[in-house]
Amino acid sequence: MGEGEEIHVAEDERVNISLKDLSKKLEEFAKARDWEKYHSPRNLLLAMVGEVGELSEIFQWRGEVDKGLPNWEESDKEHLGEELSDVLLYLIRLADICGIDLGDAASKKIVKNAIKYPPKPKLPF
């Protein structure tokens, strides 16, 4: 990709893109810019922590917010989406560089959590 070149993604691809697809796009993005030499696990983790800080700033002085963010401006929601995406993309890249299949690891973790934290039994009345 050249300077100023946009990445065009089909609408339904955005909705259905997999972690593996994102990982491949991130790898290609880094290779095209010769950034791979900077993508050590430590550097990626620190960059992700910085993005988590930026994400935290969005909520810092708002107090509790309602699900769906009904009182937020669209521009605030867009900014939130960008910061959430930054965290996700660094997490995916970090997992890839460490040789972790994030989708598989997350699926296994959900199973472990279901065993560790079983649902409360429903009362018969």
Side-chain angles (χ1 to χ4, degrees):
M1 285 184 258
E3 189 174 322
E5 186 176 339
E6 293 183 30
I7 300 173
H8 294 282
V9 181
E11 183 65 30
D12 46 328
E13 184 181 353
R14 265 188 265 161
V15 174
N16 297 314
I17 194 163
S18 71
L19 292 176
K20 288 187 188 306
D21 291 337
L22 286 171
S23 177
K24 186 175 186 324
K25 287 179 185 289
L26 289 169
E27 181 180 10
E28 291 169 357
F29 189 88
K31 278 183 180 176
R33 289 154 180 80
D34 196 28
W35 287 355
E36 290 183 301
K37 59 189 167 207
Y38 305 113
H39 285 189
S40 67
R42 176 189 170 275
N43 287 350
L44 291 167
L45 174 63
L46 292 175
M48 184 177 68
V49 168
E51 294 299 337
V52 169
E54 291 181 25
L55 178 60
S56 299
E57 287 177 349
I58 295 171
F59 290 94
Q60 186 171 8
W61 304 114
R62 291 182 184 259
E64 289 300 321
V65 296
D66 293 329
K67 184 177 180 178
L69 312 175
N71 300 322
W72 285 36
E73 299 290 329
E74 281 306 310
S75 61
D76 291 333
K77 288 183 180 182
E78 183 177 345
H79 182 215
L80 175 61
E82 290 170 355
E83 297 305 334
L84 286 166
S85 296
D86 286 341
V87 173
L88 175 65
L89 296 174
Y90 274 120
L91 179 62
I92 291 169
R93 186 72 175 141
L94 175 60
D96 190 39
I97 292 296
C98 291
I100 303 296
D101 181 329
L102 195 55
D104 183 57
S107 295
K108 288 177 180 175
K109 184 62 175 172
I110 289 171
V111 171
K112 282 185 177 182
N113 284 345
I115 294 166
K116 187 174 180 179
Y117 305 104
K120 293 180 182 178
K122 293 184 180 182
L123 299 175
F125 49 89

